Amino acid sequence: MATRRLGVGETLGALNAALGPGSPVWIKETRTRHLRSRDFLAPHRALQARFDDGQVGVSRARPCGWELGPVPWRAHTPILPQVPEHLLHALACLQGPGVAPVLRCAPTPAGLSLQLQRPAVFERVLSAVAAYATPALPALPGQRVLLHCPALRSSPCALRLSQLRTVLVADHLARALRAHGVCVRLVPAVQDPHMLTFLQQLRVDWPAASERASSHSLRSHALEEVTSAHDGRTLSPGILGRLCLKELVEEQGRTAGYDSNLDNCLVTEDLLSVLAELQEALWHWPEDSHPGLAGSPDTGTDSCLVVHVVSCEEEFQQQKLDLLWRKLVDKAPLRQKHLICGPVKVAGAPGPLMTAPEYYKFRHAQVCKASALKHGGDLAHDPAWTEIFGVLSVATIKFEMLSTAPQSQLFLALADKNISTKGTKSGTFVMYNCARLATLFESYKCSMEQGLYPTFPPVSSLDFSLLHDEVSVPPGSWHKGSLDFPSQHLSPPQGEWLLLFNNILPFPDLLSQTAMLDCTAPGLHITARTEMICKFLVQLSMDFSSYYNRVHILGEPRPHRFGQMFVRLQLLRAVREVLHTGLAMLGLPPLSHI
């Protein structure tokens, strides 16, 4: 059996390559009603646009078994694309590394429809579950990223919600990059013990420091560059002078994205201390950061990408720091990018300005209240529930803060419904389904120990053809509603193919996209896809919940039912593996009960 991991990207690439040179036309289906009959589609118009030489035409086919009646059958028959036979044959026989096996490919009213050999795909994926919980693309050897989050230099009581958003984005991005094999350094190292405690509450993994980096050499250089005169007035303590940045802005070019109002910068001891820490972090990496890179200042700065994760309110000040670094340090990093997080708007806040600790306390109180209503009694002071309430509070906050693209404005609604396990958009809902999975496997384990079920057999002995909840559509039966109008003629799917094809199979590609930073794009700013994991976990939880509510996994202990039970358990093992990996990207542990 082939051991290469199947991939959605590889399959789409092979499908498009089979059609010859040109723009991609194939799309992966995701909707339940479409997945009843096809897995990939090349839309009719996209095919015609690609083959403008007339290779792909149109035709009408009289559907078998229809009563013609008084209206001509042509009025009822959709248009079918006419595709050359050699292309259909090439698509039906598609093979290659990571390419999923094809069952059939045929013209349909929607375009060129392709269905995979689903039992074979089930077997390939579920026989190598761990392979689908890792990124699809390997990292570049020796790639280094320095993530700088200026908000962590303040105290927690002064941390605004927009700054909290930058902290969570930076933490999540660091986890995603490390899972992809990238060497990541986090700056600043936190000195405030109260901030460290708050970060631990939020399950944010950030380094600590006992003392500040020395800025003596930078101070000497700065005194040579700055203009000490300040209109004849004495400078305030901590201010060294003023430095002109206008020439540097013009040197970088108008397209770089620097603010046009950047002219002068007031050089302070605090600014130099920040630069000293950044420079120290850039030149001296920890010993366990990456083989061959630790403590090697001769590795240079060109190979390192510096990403400043800041709120839109702090963008102007961060641009000053960026330019000041270039001005005062000869070997400042050439690749500095700014990840700007949009503003945070709050609806239903108890006060005019809510700080990050107040936001956490507010959500924590809501979680305790909701649990008390569900289970009865006051559980907030029960040691057995303390950690669970903490995890649920953090899950609620992280899914709220990270489910929106970081560049976009974020709206927070502080109503109680956002922490309910019945809502399908919250972190609490995801953790609830994580607990349901844990309960399912614990129930199987207890029943097995009691002798009701046999031990789990080797995966190689499982019959994955038992996962056949979808109704197979025979070739050429697009008529009478079978392909584009399946809801009236096909039984509703139980969700097994939906879980695998929409969640497990594409997960490695999603992990790679989350860690993707386009550092080669021109300009100062950079974007990140930190919202993808949260959205994925919510959709996975919805699909699992729908399946779990409809299908009884652990049925009566009858031998003739064990085969299907085991293949379903193996499918849910894969769901659990993917779910746990996704939660780890957010710093959230799996819960066994809620």
Side-chain angles (χ1 to χ4, degrees):
M1 180 187 297
T3 58
R4 170 81 181 254
R5 176 173 57 189
L6 299 180
V8 173
E10 289 88 339
T11 304
L12 284 171
L15 288 173
N16 286 304
L19 296 179
S23 57
V25 296
W26 286 94
I27 60 173
K28 175 188 175 295
E29 293 288 11
T30 57
R31 296 189 177 183
T32 304
R33 66 187 183 93
H34 293 153
L35 288 174
R36 289 192 178 103
S37 57
R38 63 179 183 248
D39 300 314
F40 295 94
L41 175 72
H44 194 170
R45 291 192 176 183
L47 283 172
Q48 285 185 311
R50 174 160 177 169
F51 294 97
D52 54 3
D53 57 357
Q55 286 190 64
V56 175
V58 297
S59 66
R60 292 183 184 272
R62 180 171 179 169
C64 303
W66 276 24
E67 296 296 335
L68 299 182
V71 182
W73 64 269
R74 287 179 178 273
H76 298 279
T77 310
I79 296 175
L80 294 179
Q82 280 187 320
V83 182
E85 283 296 327
H86 73 277
L87 288 181
L88 290 177
H89 178 75
L91 291 167
C93 302
L94 198 66
Q95 292 182 351
V99 177
V102 177
L103 176 64
R104 64 174 65 95
C105 181
T108 67
L112 203 54
S113 296
L114 183 139
Q115 190 177 57
L116 301 177
Q117 298 178 24
R118 294 182 177 180
V121 175
F122 272 122
E123 182 175 5
R124 288 278 299 274
V125 174
L126 299 183
S127 296
V129 169
Y132 292 86
T134 55
L137 300 175
L140 296 175
Q143 187 175 5
R144 298 183 298 165
V145 174
L146 191 149
L147 287 178
H148 175 220
C149 186
L152 288 174
R153 291 191 173 88
S154 64
S155 62
C157 60
L159 196 65
R160 302 187 303 273
L161 292 185
S162 58
Q163 292 177 310
L164 173 62
R165 187 184 190 187
T166 66
V167 173
L168 298 181
V169 166
D171 175 64
H172 176 42
L173 186 57
R175 294 176 190 273
L177 289 169
R178 283 169 175 158
H180 202 61
V182 178
C183 179
V184 180
R185 185 79 186 269
L186 300 174
V187 178
V190 178
Q191 293 180 307
D192 187 339
H194 300 291
M195 178 62 82
L196 285 173
T197 301
F198 184 55
L199 293 179
Q200 290 171 0
Q201 278 185 323
L202 294 174
R203 295 182 178 270
V204 170
D205 187 13
W206 207 271
S210 57
E211 58 183 19
R212 302 172 71 174
S214 173
S215 60
H216 178 73
S217 59
L218 277 176
R219 190 177 190 277
S220 301
H221 193 186
L223 288 174
E224 297 174 1
E225 296 282 346
V226 300
T227 303
S228 58
H230 194 65
D231 298 334
R233 292 175 293 176
T234 304
L235 295 175
S236 303
I239 299 178
L240 303 182
R242 189 176 295 275
L243 189 65
C244 180
L245 300 176
K246 189 173 183 179
E247 292 183 2
L248 192 56
V249 172
E250 294 176 352
E251 180 184 322
Q252 295 297 318
R254 293 182 179 273
T255 59
Y258 288 97
D259 195 298
S260 58
N261 295 316
L262 276 171
D263 189 3
N264 295 305
C265 175
L266 205 60
V267 181
T268 65
E269 297 282 5
D270 288 339
L271 274 179
L272 293 182
S273 178
V274 171
L275 286 181
E277 183 176 14
L278 286 169
Q279 191 66 21
E280 177 73 16
L282 186 68
W283 281 78
H284 299 284
W285 292 75
E287 293 183 0
D288 58 348
S289 61
H290 200 284
L293 291 178
S296 301
D298 57 342
T299 55
T301 59
D302 293 347
S303 63
C304 180
L305 171 66
V306 178
V307 180
H308 305 283
V309 186
V310 295
S311 65
C312 54
E313 299 94 341
E314 300 169 319
E315 180 180 6
F316 187 77
Q317 185 63 27
Q318 187 55 48
Q319 289 187 17
K320 283 185 178 181
L321 183 68
D322 178 325
L323 292 170
L324 187 62
W325 196 358
R326 298 176 189 271
K327 185 78 173 180
L328 296 181
V329 181
D330 293 335
K331 294 185 178 180
L334 299 177
R335 297 191 301 167
Q336 290 190 59
K337 295 289 185 177
H338 294 225
L339 176 56
I340 309 300
C341 296
V344 178
K345 305 295 182 182
V346 182
L353 292 175
M354 176 179 277
T355 64
E358 289 171 344
Y359 173 47
Y360 175 83
K361 291 178 182 178
F362 187 81
R363 282 302 189 208
H364 189 271
Q366 286 181 319
V367 166
C368 294
K369 177 183 176 183
S371 297
L373 292 174
K374 181 179 180 180
H375 299 285
D378 184 10
L379 302 175
H381 303 291
D382 187 341
W385 285 88
T386 301
E387 183 176 0
I388 293 176
F389 290 158
V391 173
L392 290 177
S393 303
V394 173
T396 301
I397 290 170
K398 289 192 173 184
F399 273 82
E400 282 182 324
M401 286 278 182
L402 296 174
S403 292
T404 302
Q407 301 80 228
S408 303
Q409 181 171 266
L410 174 64
F411 292 93
L412 289 182
L414 300 183
D416 288 355
K417 65 179 181 180
N418 291 326
I419 51 90
S420 171
T421 58
K422 296 181 179 180
T424 58
K425 302 296 183 182
S426 68
T428 311
F429 175 72
V430 175
M431 302 308 296
Y432 169 66
N433 282 284
C434 178
R436 294 172 84 183
L437 269 170
T439 301
L440 169 69
F441 284 98
E442 184 62 27
S443 298
Y444 165 73
K445 180 182 177 182
C446 292
S447 299
M448 182 191 67
E449 292 173 348
Q450 295 171 10
L452 297 177
Y453 297 133
T455 57
F456 203 93
V459 176
S460 58
S461 67
L462 298 179
D463 182 7
F464 291 99
S465 65
L466 295 173
L467 295 173
H468 54 68
D469 55 87
E470 316 288 351
V471 174
S472 179
V473 181
S477 62
W478 56 266
H479 55 277
K480 297 200 68 174
S482 61
L483 276 183
D484 288 276
F485 313 96
S487 57
Q488 298 177 0
H489 300 274
L490 299 181
S491 61
Q494 297 180 10
E496 290 160 358
W497 181 249
L498 195 71
L499 282 170
L500 184 125
F501 191 63
N502 277 356
N503 298 286
I504 301 169
L505 188 62
F507 187 61
D509 289 320
L510 180 133
L511 285 178
S512 295
Q513 293 171 28
T514 304
M516 194 174 295
L517 293 174
D518 188 6
C519 56
T520 61
L524 180 67
H525 299 104
I526 196 171
T527 58
R529 303 294 304 277
T530 53
E531 78 281 3
M532 295 182 71
I533 288 290
C534 286
K535 289 183 175 180
F536 171 84
L537 292 178
V538 167
Q539 187 60 53
L540 171 61
S541 299
M542 291 172 63
D543 291 341
F544 164 71
S545 180
S546 176
Y547 175 71
Y548 190 76
N549 291 338
R550 192 167 54 247
V551 178
H552 193 47
I553 308 297
L554 300 179
E556 296 181 10
R558 297 180 180 179
H560 70 280
R561 294 184 176 179
F562 288 158
Q564 189 172 55
M565 180 188 74
F566 284 133
V567 292
R568 285 175 170 170
L569 282 174
Q570 182 65 12
L571 171 66
L572 295 185
R573 275 182 174 178
V575 171
R576 182 181 61 178
E577 188 79 15
V578 166
L579 180 59
H580 288 186
T581 301
L583 290 175
M585 294 295 101
L586 301 171
L588 295 171
L591 292 181
S592 58
H593 67 280
I594 293 182

mmCIF file with all atom_site columns, all heavy atoms in Angstrom, residues 33-48:
data_model
loop_
_atom_site.group_PDB
_atom_site.id
_atom_site.type_symbol
_atom_site.label_atom_id
_atom_site.label_alt_id
_atom_site.label_comp_id
_atom_site.label_asym_id
_atom_site.label_entity_id
_atom_site.label_seq_id
_atom_site.pdbx_PDB_ins_code
_atom_site.Cartn_x
_atom_site.Cartn_y
_atom_site.Cartn_z
_atom_site.occupancy
_atom_site.B_iso_or_equiv
_atom_site.pdbx_formal_charge
_atom_site.auth_seq_id
_atom_site.auth_comp_id
_atom_site.auth_asym_id
_atom_site.auth_atom_id
_atom_site.pdbx_PDB_model_num
ATOM 1   N N   . ARG A 1 33 ? -24.892 18.717 0.116   1.00 0.00 ? 33 ARG A N   1
ATOM 2   C CA  . ARG A 1 33 ? -25.731 18.304 -1.013  1.00 0.00 ? 33 ARG A CA  1
ATOM 3   C C   . ARG A 1 33 ? -24.893 18.033 -2.259  1.00 0.00 ? 33 ARG A C   1
ATOM 4   O O   . ARG A 1 33 ? -25.273 17.216 -3.104  1.00 0.00 ? 33 ARG A O   1
ATOM 5   C CB  . ARG A 1 33 ? -26.799 19.359 -1.287  1.00 0.00 ? 33 ARG A CB  1
ATOM 6   C CG  . ARG A 1 33 ? -26.293 20.696 -1.775  1.00 0.00 ? 33 ARG A CG  1
ATOM 7   C CD  . ARG A 1 33 ? -27.450 21.699 -1.839  1.00 0.00 ? 33 ARG A CD  1
ATOM 8   N NE  . ARG A 1 33 ? -27.042 22.986 -2.369  1.00 0.00 ? 33 ARG A NE  1
ATOM 9   C CZ  . ARG A 1 33 ? -27.139 23.315 -3.649  1.00 0.00 ? 33 ARG A CZ  1
ATOM 10  N NH1 . ARG A 1 33 ? -27.616 22.432 -4.520  1.00 0.00 ? 33 ARG A NH1 1
ATOM 11  N NH2 . ARG A 1 33 ? -26.761 24.500 -4.074  1.00 0.00 ? 33 ARG A NH2 1
ATOM 12  N N   . HIS A 1 34 ? -23.753 18.708 -2.399  1.00 0.00 ? 34 HIS A N   1
ATOM 13  C CA  . HIS A 1 34 ? -22.884 18.446 -3.541  1.00 0.00 ? 34 HIS A CA  1
ATOM 14  C C   . HIS A 1 34 ? -22.044 17.199 -3.324  1.00 0.00 ? 34 HIS A C   1
ATOM 15  O O   . HIS A 1 34 ? -21.772 16.453 -4.275  1.00 0.00 ? 34 HIS A O   1
ATOM 16  C CB  . HIS A 1 34 ? -21.967 19.644 -3.794  1.00 0.00 ? 34 HIS A CB  1
ATOM 17  C CG  . HIS A 1 34 ? -22.701 20.866 -4.262  1.00 0.00 ? 34 HIS A CG  1
ATOM 18  N ND1 . HIS A 1 34 ? -22.231 22.144 -4.040  1.00 0.00 ? 34 HIS A ND1 1
ATOM 19  C CD2 . HIS A 1 34 ? -23.880 21.005 -4.913  1.00 0.00 ? 34 HIS A CD2 1
ATOM 20  C CE1 . HIS A 1 34 ? -23.083 23.016 -4.551  1.00 0.00 ? 34 HIS A CE1 1
ATOM 21  N NE2 . HIS A 1 34 ? -24.090 22.346 -5.080  1.00 0.00 ? 34 HIS A NE2 1
ATOM 22  N N   . LEU A 1 35 ? -21.639 16.965 -2.079  1.00 0.00 ? 35 LEU A N   1
ATOM 23  C CA  . LEU A 1 35 ? -20.790 15.807 -1.788  1.00 0.00 ? 35 LEU A CA  1
ATOM 24  C C   . LEU A 1 35 ? -21.544 14.493 -1.900  1.00 0.00 ? 35 LEU A C   1
ATOM 25  O O   . LEU A 1 35 ? -20.929 13.427 -1.883  1.00 0.00 ? 35 LEU A O   1
ATOM 26  C CB  . LEU A 1 35 ? -20.183 15.937 -0.392  1.00 0.00 ? 35 LEU A CB  1
ATOM 27  C CG  . LEU A 1 35 ? -19.091 17.005 -0.240  1.00 0.00 ? 35 LEU A CG  1
ATOM 28  C CD1 . LEU A 1 35 ? -18.665 17.135 1.211   1.00 0.00 ? 35 LEU A CD1 1
ATOM 29  C CD2 . LEU A 1 35 ? -17.890 16.668 -1.111  1.00 0.00 ? 35 LEU A CD2 1
ATOM 30  N N   . ARG A 1 36 ? -22.859 14.525 -2.036  1.00 0.00 ? 36 ARG A N   1
ATOM 31  C CA  . ARG A 1 36 ? -23.591 13.292 -2.271  1.00 0.00 ? 36 ARG A CA  1
ATOM 32  C C   . ARG A 1 36 ? -23.262 12.682 -3.633  1.00 0.00 ? 36 ARG A C   1
ATOM 33  O O   . ARG A 1 36 ? -23.453 11.498 -3.856  1.00 0.00 ? 36 ARG A O   1
ATOM 34  C CB  . ARG A 1 36 ? -25.103 13.558 -2.177  1.00 0.00 ? 36 ARG A CB  1
ATOM 35  C CG  . ARG A 1 36 ? -25.595 13.847 -0.767  1.00 0.00 ? 36 ARG A CG  1
ATOM 36  C CD  . ARG A 1 36 ? -27.118 13.795 -0.729  1.00 0.00 ? 36 ARG A CD  1
ATOM 37  N NE  . ARG A 1 36 ? -27.601 14.034 0.624   1.00 0.00 ? 36 ARG A NE  1
ATOM 38  C CZ  . ARG A 1 36 ? -28.115 15.177 1.034   1.00 0.00 ? 36 ARG A CZ  1
ATOM 39  N NH1 . ARG A 1 36 ? -28.215 16.183 0.197   1.00 0.00 ? 36 ARG A NH1 1
ATOM 40  N NH2 . ARG A 1 36 ? -28.535 15.320 2.269   1.00 0.00 ? 36 ARG A NH2 1
ATOM 41  N N   . SER A 1 37 ? -22.797 13.525 -4.540  1.00 0.00 ? 37 SER A N   1
ATOM 42  C CA  . SER A 1 37 ? -22.592 13.026 -5.899  1.00 0.00 ? 37 SER A CA  1
ATOM 43  C C   . SER A 1 37 ? -21.216 13.329 -6.469  1.00 0.00 ? 37 SER A C   1
ATOM 44  O O   . SER A 1 37 ? -20.821 12.719 -7.460  1.00 0.00 ? 37 SER A O   1
ATOM 45  C CB  . SER A 1 37 ? -23.646 13.623 -6.839  1.00 0.00 ? 37 SER A CB  1
ATOM 46  O OG  . SER A 1 37 ? -23.587 15.041 -6.795  1.00 0.00 ? 37 SER A OG  1
ATOM 47  N N   . ARG A 1 38 ? -20.479 14.283 -5.902  1.00 0.00 ? 38 ARG A N   1
ATOM 48  C CA  . ARG A 1 38 ? -19.184 14.624 -6.462  1.00 0.00 ? 38 ARG A CA  1
ATOM 49  C C   . ARG A 1 38 ? -18.292 15.182 -5.367  1.00 0.00 ? 38 ARG A C   1
ATOM 50  O O   . ARG A 1 38 ? -18.763 15.671 -4.339  1.00 0.00 ? 38 ARG A O   1
ATOM 51  C CB  . ARG A 1 38 ? -19.337 15.643 -7.595  1.00 0.00 ? 38 ARG A CB  1
ATOM 52  C CG  . ARG A 1 38 ? -19.923 16.984 -7.144  1.00 0.00 ? 38 ARG A CG  1
ATOM 53  C CD  . ARG A 1 38 ? -20.021 17.951 -8.312  1.00 0.00 ? 38 ARG A CD  1
ATOM 54  N NE  . ARG A 1 38 ? -20.514 19.258 -7.900  1.00 0.00 ? 38 ARG A NE  1
ATOM 55  C CZ  . ARG A 1 38 ? -21.680 19.775 -8.232  1.00 0.00 ? 38 ARG A CZ  1
ATOM 56  N NH1 . ARG A 1 38 ? -22.511 19.069 -8.994  1.00 0.00 ? 38 ARG A NH1 1
ATOM 57  N NH2 . ARG A 1 38 ? -22.044 20.977 -7.825  1.00 0.00 ? 38 ARG A NH2 1
ATOM 58  N N   . ASP A 1 39 ? -16.989 15.126 -5.625  1.00 0.00 ? 39 ASP A N   1
ATOM 59  C CA  . ASP A 1 39 ? -16.005 15.653 -4.687  1.00 0.00 ? 39 ASP A CA  1
ATOM 60  C C   . ASP A 1 39 ? -15.268 16.863 -5.252  1.00 0.00 ? 39 ASP A C   1
ATOM 61  O O   . ASP A 1 39 ? -14.870 17.754 -4.505  1.00 0.00 ? 39 ASP A O   1
ATOM 62  C CB  . ASP A 1 39 ? -14.996 14.558 -4.316  1.00 0.00 ? 39 ASP A CB  1
ATOM 63  C CG  . ASP A 1 39 ? -15.672 13.361 -3.672  1.00 0.00 ? 39 ASP A CG  1
ATOM 64  O OD1 . ASP A 1 39 ? -16.515 13.577 -2.785  1.00 0.00 ? 39 ASP A OD1 1
ATOM 65  O OD2 . ASP A 1 39 ? -15.368 12.215 -4.058  1.00 0.00 ? 39 ASP A OD2 1
ATOM 66  N N   . PHE A 1 40 ? -15.078 16.882 -6.571  1.00 0.00 ? 40 PHE A N   1
ATOM 67  C CA  . PHE A 1 40 ? -14.438 18.014 -7.236  1.00 0.00 ? 40 PHE A CA  1
ATOM 68  C C   . PHE A 1 40 ? -15.275 18.402 -8.445  1.00 0.00 ? 40 PHE A C   1
ATOM 69  O O   . PHE A 1 40 ? -15.955 17.551 -9.046  1.00 0.00 ? 40 PHE A O   1
ATOM 70  C CB  . PHE A 1 40 ? -13.006 17.663 -7.679  1.00 0.00 ? 40 PHE A CB  1
ATOM 71  C CG  . PHE A 1 40 ? -12.071 17.380 -6.541  1.00 0.00 ? 40 PHE A CG  1
ATOM 72  C CD1 . PHE A 1 40 ? -11.855 16.081 -6.103  1.00 0.00 ? 40 PHE A CD1 1
ATOM 73  C CD2 . PHE A 1 40 ? -11.399 18.411 -5.892  1.00 0.00 ? 40 PHE A CD2 1
ATOM 74  C CE1 . PHE A 1 40 ? -10.998 15.812 -5.060  1.00 0.00 ? 40 PHE A CE1 1
ATOM 75  C CE2 . PHE A 1 40 ? -10.540 18.148 -4.841  1.00 0.00 ? 40 PHE A CE2 1
ATOM 76  C CZ  . PHE A 1 40 ? -10.337 16.848 -4.419  1.00 0.00 ? 40 PHE A CZ  1
ATOM 77  N N   . LEU A 1 41 ? -15.209 19.669 -8.802  1.00 0.00 ? 41 LEU A N   1
ATOM 78  C CA  . LEU A 1 41 ? -15.993 20.169 -9.932  1.00 0.00 ? 41 LEU A CA  1
ATOM 79  C C   . LEU A 1 41 ? -15.168 21.158 -10.743 1.00 0.00 ? 41 LEU A C   1
ATOM 80  O O   . LEU A 1 41 ? -14.504 22.044 -10.177 1.00 0.00 ? 41 LEU A O   1
ATOM 81  C CB  . LEU A 1 41 ? -17.271 20.857 -9.436  1.00 0.00 ? 41 LEU A CB  1
ATOM 82  C CG  . LEU A 1 41 ? -18.130 21.537 -10.515 1.00 0.00 ? 41 LEU A CG  1
ATOM 83  C CD1 . LEU A 1 41 ? -18.818 20.492 -11.378 1.00 0.00 ? 41 LEU A CD1 1
ATOM 84  C CD2 . LEU A 1 41 ? -19.163 22.465 -9.872  1.00 0.00 ? 41 LEU A CD2 1
ATOM 85  N N   . ALA A 1 42 ? -15.216 21.001 -12.068 1.00 0.00 ? 42 ALA A N   1
ATOM 86  C CA  . ALA A 1 42 ? -14.699 22.016 -12.987 1.00 0.00 ? 42 ALA A CA  1
ATOM 87  C C   . ALA A 1 42 ? -15.924 22.696 -13.584 1.00 0.00 ? 42 ALA A C   1
ATOM 88  O O   . ALA A 1 42 ? -16.591 22.122 -14.459 1.00 0.00 ? 42 ALA A O   1
ATOM 89  C CB  . ALA A 1 42 ? -13.845 21.378 -14.082 1.00 0.00 ? 42 ALA A CB  1
ATOM 90  N N   . PRO A 1 43 ? -16.285 23.887 -13.112 1.00 0.00 ? 43 PRO A N   1
ATOM 91  C CA  . PRO A 1 43 ? -17.522 24.537 -13.570 1.00 0.00 ? 43 PRO A CA  1
ATOM 92  C C   . PRO A 1 43 ? -17.549 24.723 -15.087 1.00 0.00 ? 43 PRO A C   1
ATOM 93  O O   . PRO A 1 43 ? -16.521 24.920 -15.740 1.00 0.00 ? 43 PRO A O   1
ATOM 94  C CB  . PRO A 1 43 ? -17.497 25.886 -12.840 1.00 0.00 ? 43 PRO A CB  1
ATOM 95  C CG  . PRO A 1 43 ? -16.650 25.659 -11.639 1.00 0.00 ? 43 PRO A CG  1
ATOM 96  C CD  . PRO A 1 43 ? -15.600 24.685 -12.083 1.00 0.00 ? 43 PRO A CD  1
ATOM 97  N N   . HIS A 1 44 ? -18.768 24.669 -15.617 1.00 0.00 ? 44 HIS A N   1
ATOM 98  C CA  . HIS A 1 44 ? -18.978 24.720 -17.059 1.00 0.00 ? 44 HIS A CA  1
ATOM 99  C C   . HIS A 1 44 ? -18.327 25.957 -17.689 1.00 0.00 ? 44 HIS A C   1
ATOM 100 O O   . HIS A 1 44 ? -17.594 25.867 -18.671 1.00 0.00 ? 44 HIS A O   1
ATOM 101 C CB  . HIS A 1 44 ? -20.489 24.704 -17.324 1.00 0.00 ? 44 HIS A CB  1
ATOM 102 C CG  . HIS A 1 44 ? -20.841 24.425 -18.748 1.00 0.00 ? 44 HIS A CG  1
ATOM 103 N ND1 . HIS A 1 44 ? -22.119 24.168 -19.157 1.00 0.00 ? 44 HIS A ND1 1
ATOM 104 C CD2 . HIS A 1 44 ? -20.087 24.363 -19.868 1.00 0.00 ? 44 HIS A CD2 1
ATOM 105 C CE1 . HIS A 1 44 ? -22.123 23.961 -20.471 1.00 0.00 ? 44 HIS A CE1 1
ATOM 106 N NE2 . HIS A 1 44 ? -20.904 24.072 -20.915 1.00 0.00 ? 44 HIS A NE2 1
ATOM 107 N N   . ARG A 1 45 ? -18.601 27.130 -17.134 1.00 0.00 ? 45 ARG A N   1
ATOM 108 C CA  . ARG A 1 45 ? -18.087 28.369 -17.721 1.00 0.00 ? 45 ARG A CA  1
ATOM 109 C C   . ARG A 1 45 ? -16.567 28.459 -17.594 1.00 0.00 ? 45 ARG A C   1
ATOM 110 O O   . ARG A 1 45 ? -15.901 29.004 -18.489 1.00 0.00 ? 45 ARG A O   1
ATOM 111 C CB  . ARG A 1 45 ? -18.749 29.573 -17.043 1.00 0.00 ? 45 ARG A CB  1
ATOM 112 C CG  . ARG A 1 45 ? -20.230 29.715 -17.377 1.00 0.00 ? 45 ARG A CG  1
ATOM 113 C CD  . ARG A 1 45 ? -20.771 31.054 -16.925 1.00 0.00 ? 45 ARG A CD  1
ATOM 114 N NE  . ARG A 1 45 ? -22.157 31.223 -17.317 1.00 0.00 ? 45 ARG A NE  1
ATOM 115 C CZ  . ARG A 1 45 ? -22.860 32.342 -17.097 1.00 0.00 ? 45 ARG A CZ  1
ATOM 116 N NH1 . ARG A 1 45 ? -22.281 33.372 -16.493 1.00 0.00 ? 45 ARG A NH1 1
ATOM 117 N NH2 . ARG A 1 45 ? -24.114 32.424 -17.493 1.00 0.00 ? 45 ARG A NH2 1
ATOM 118 N N   . ALA A 1 46 ? -16.033 27.952 -16.497 1.00 0.00 ? 46 ALA A N   1
ATOM 119 C CA  . ALA A 1 46 ? -14.576 27.972 -16.349 1.00 0.00 ? 46 ALA A CA  1
ATOM 120 C C   . ALA A 1 46 ? -13.911 27.103 -17.398 1.00 0.00 ? 46 ALA A C   1
ATOM 121 O O   . ALA A 1 46 ? -12.848 27.441 -17.931 1.00 0.00 ? 46 ALA A O   1
ATOM 122 C CB  . ALA A 1 46 ? -14.191 27.509 -14.945 1.00 0.00 ? 46 ALA A CB  1
ATOM 123 N N   . LEU A 1 47 ? -14.535 25.969 -17.719 1.00 0.00 ? 47 LEU A N   1
ATOM 124 C CA  . LEU A 1 47 ? -13.995 25.099 -18.763 1.00 0.00 ? 47 LEU A CA  1
ATOM 125 C C   . LEU A 1 47 ? -14.022 25.786 -20.122 1.00 0.00 ? 47 LEU A C   1
ATOM 126 O O   . LEU A 1 47 ? -13.061 25.728 -20.891 1.00 0.00 ? 47 LEU A O   1
ATOM 127 C CB  . LEU A 1 47 ? -14.795 23.795 -18.818 1.00 0.00 ? 47 LEU A CB  1
ATOM 128 C CG  . LEU A 1 47 ? -14.521 22.752 -17.732 1.00 0.00 ? 47 LEU A CG  1
ATOM 129 C CD1 . LEU A 1 47 ? -15.537 21.629 -17.821 1.00 0.00 ? 47 LEU A CD1 1
ATOM 130 C CD2 . LEU A 1 47 ? -13.104 22.200 -17.856 1.00 0.00 ? 47 LEU A CD2 1
ATOM 131 N N   . GLN A 1 48 ? -15.148 26.440 -20.426 1.00 0.00 ? 48 GLN A N   1
ATOM 132 C CA  . GLN A 1 48 ? -15.255 27.121 -21.721 1.00 0.00 ? 48 GLN A CA  1
ATOM 133 C C   . GLN A 1 48 ? -14.246 28.263 -21.829 1.00 0.00 ? 48 GLN A C   1
ATOM 134 O O   . GLN A 1 48 ? -13.680 28.502 -22.891 1.00 0.00 ? 48 GLN A O   1
ATOM 135 C CB  . GLN A 1 48 ? -16.673 27.655 -21.907 1.00 0.00 ? 48 GLN A CB  1
ATOM 136 C CG  . GLN A 1 48 ? -17.696 26.566 -22.232 1.00 0.00 ? 48 GLN A CG  1
ATOM 137 C CD  . GLN A 1 48 ? -19.056 27.144 -22.538 1.00 0.00 ? 48 GLN A CD  1
ATOM 138 O OE1 . GLN A 1 48 ? -19.575 27.968 -21.790 1.00 0.00 ? 48 GLN A OE1 1
ATOM 139 N NE2 . GLN A 1 48 ? -19.647 26.718 -23.653 1.00 0.00 ? 48 GLN A NE2 1
#
